[in-house]
Amino acid sequence: QVRLVESGGGSVDPGESLRLSCVASGRMTGINARAWYRQAPGKERELVAALIVNGETRYSDSVKGRFSISRDKSGSTMFLQMNRLVPEDTAVYWCNFKSTPREYWGQGIQVTVSS
């Protein structure tokens, strides 16, 4: 079992930055992918960024060039650096770890971008 806890959310003005963190605890064996998802009001949950075990990263088109996913050396902490935020980035963000066939979710954290 893996427990994930997000932090770093909040309210910012357009153009500002935030850095989300996701701290994992528990049995980390077999984690083969880490990702950030988000869900905006009235929309479906979407993949924002993913970090595959081989080091490959993937981003949604809407955040490419602005967001960056990374992890620490231990693999127990994952980050999402969000730059040049826009109101459309307003959503609840979740971190997700996959250990196929299982996957684990954090509790979600709110990010609000508005002036």
Side-chain angles (χ1 to χ4, degrees):
Q1 189 73 14
V2 176
R3 181 170 180 258
L4 304 178
V5 179
E6 300 103 338
S7 63
S11 296
V12 295
D13 291 333
E16 294 188 337
S17 300
L18 280 174
R19 189 192 199 201
L20 302 183
S21 298
C22 173
V23 177
S25 59
R27 186 179 178 88
M28 297 284 290
T29 303
I31 298 297
N32 52 25
R34 298 167 173 80
W36 288 95
Y37 288 78
R38 70 184 182 187
Q39 186 170 19
K43 295 188 176 181
E44 294 186 355
R45 188 179 297 191
E46 64 170 345
L47 176 67
V48 176
L51 181 60
I52 313 304
V53 67
N54 62 2
E56 178 185 352
T57 57
R58 298 173 185 170
Y59 297 93
S60 69
D61 287 343
S62 62
V63 307
K64 203 172 293 183
R66 300 188 298 121
F67 290 14
S68 178
I69 188 171
S70 62
R71 48 166 276 188
D72 68 353
K73 287 184 178 179
S74 72
S76 63
T77 303
M78 179 175 67
F79 306 98
L80 184 68
Q81 178 66 43
M82 305 185 293
N83 298 325
R84 303 196 305 278
L85 285 160
V86 298
E88 291 73 25
D89 295 319
T90 295
V92 176
Y93 286 70
W94 289 270
C95 60
N96 170 281
F97 279 27
K98 290 182 174 62
S99 178
T100 307
R102 296 185 178 89
E103 62 179 342
Y104 307 95
W105 294 88
Q107 81 282 4
I109 193 164
Q110 178 70 42
V111 171
T112 302
V113 185
S114 73
S115 54

